[in-house]
Amino acid sequence: MSALIKELTAEHVEITMALNKAKQLGIQSPRGREALLAVKKGLLAHLEKEDRLLYPALNRAAQSNSSLKRTLDVFAADMDKVSASALAFFDKYADGGSGIEFAKEFGGLFATLSQRIRKEETILYKKFDEVS
C-alpha cells in the first residue's frame, strides 16, 4: 500500500471519529457545533488532497484504460452527490438545529459517507496502487 493511500485511509478514520464526536456532543451545544465545523474542515481538506494527489494519477492512467475511465466516471458522479449532500448538511446545522431532525439527517450523512469511504478503500485506492 502506497504512502498516499495509507494517509488517505487514516484520514477516513479521523473523519469518522470526528463525526461520532460531533454526534455525541450534540448540535445544540457550542462544542458540538465546533466539532461539526471541524469535521467539515477535515473533510474538505481530505477532498482537496484527493483532488491534488490521487485523481491526477488515476486520470493519467485512465487515458489508456477504458475500464478505469468508467470507474472514475462513476466515482466522480457519486462524489458530486455526496459532496453536495454533506455541504448542505454542514451548512444547515452550522448554527444548531433540532435534535431529532439532526439525528435523522446525521444518520443519513453518516451512512452515505461510510459507504463512500468503503468504496474508495476497496476499489479506488486499490486502482491507484495498481497504476502508481
Side-chain angles (χ1 to χ4, degrees), residues 15-29 31-37 39 89-90 93 98-111:
I15 291 166
T16 301
M17 288 172 49
L19 275 169
N20 282 321
K21 180 180 179 183
K23 181 182 178 186
Q24 289 172 347
L25 291 170
I27 195 63
Q28 289 87 8
S29 75
R31 288 183 60 215
R33 289 189 296 278
E34 288 172 17
L36 198 60
L37 179 59
V39 172
F89 174 87
F90 291 125
Y93 292 104
S98 162
I100 293 171
E101 184 178 7
F102 170 78
K104 180 180 175 188
E105 291 186 21
F106 179 90
L109 175 68
F110 192 86

Side-chain angles (χ1 to χ4, degrees), residues 1-7 125 128-129 132:
M1 182 182 295
S2 68
L4 175 61
I5 298 307
K6 287 179 184 175
E7 191 176 324
Y125 290 0
F128 177 85
D129 278 341
S132 62

Side-chain angles (χ1 to χ4, degrees), residues 3-115:
L4 175 61
I5 298 307
K6 287 179 184 175
E7 191 176 324
L8 293 172
T9 301
E11 289 175 5
H12 283 165
V13 172
E14 291 172 12
I15 291 166
T16 301
M17 288 172 49
L19 275 169
N20 282 321
K21 180 180 179 183
K23 181 182 178 186
Q24 289 172 347
L25 291 170
I27 195 63
Q28 289 87 8
S29 75
R31 288 183 60 215
R33 289 189 296 278
E34 288 172 17
L36 198 60
L37 179 59
V39 172
K40 180 181 178 182
K41 287 180 181 179
L43 182 59
L44 290 174
H46 176 79
L47 295 175
E48 186 276 328
K49 185 181 289 182
E50 285 182 338
D51 286 346
R52 187 170 36 89
L53 301 173
L54 179 79
Y55 287 106
L58 287 169
N59 285 323
R60 280 191 301 275
Q63 291 175 359
S64 60
N65 182 332
S66 60
S67 174
L68 179 57
K69 172 77 169 108
R70 284 189 299 276
T71 299
L72 290 177
D73 289 345
V74 169
F75 270 84
D78 181 59
M79 182 47 81
D80 288 343
K81 291 183 226 172
V82 170
S83 295
S85 174
L87 292 176
F89 174 87
F90 291 125
D91 289 344
K92 181 176 182 174
Y93 292 104
D95 297 318
S98 162
I100 293 171
E101 184 178 7
F102 170 78
K104 180 180 175 188
E105 291 186 21
F106 179 90
L109 175 68
F110 192 86
T112 298
L113 289 177
S114 295
Q115 183 179 39

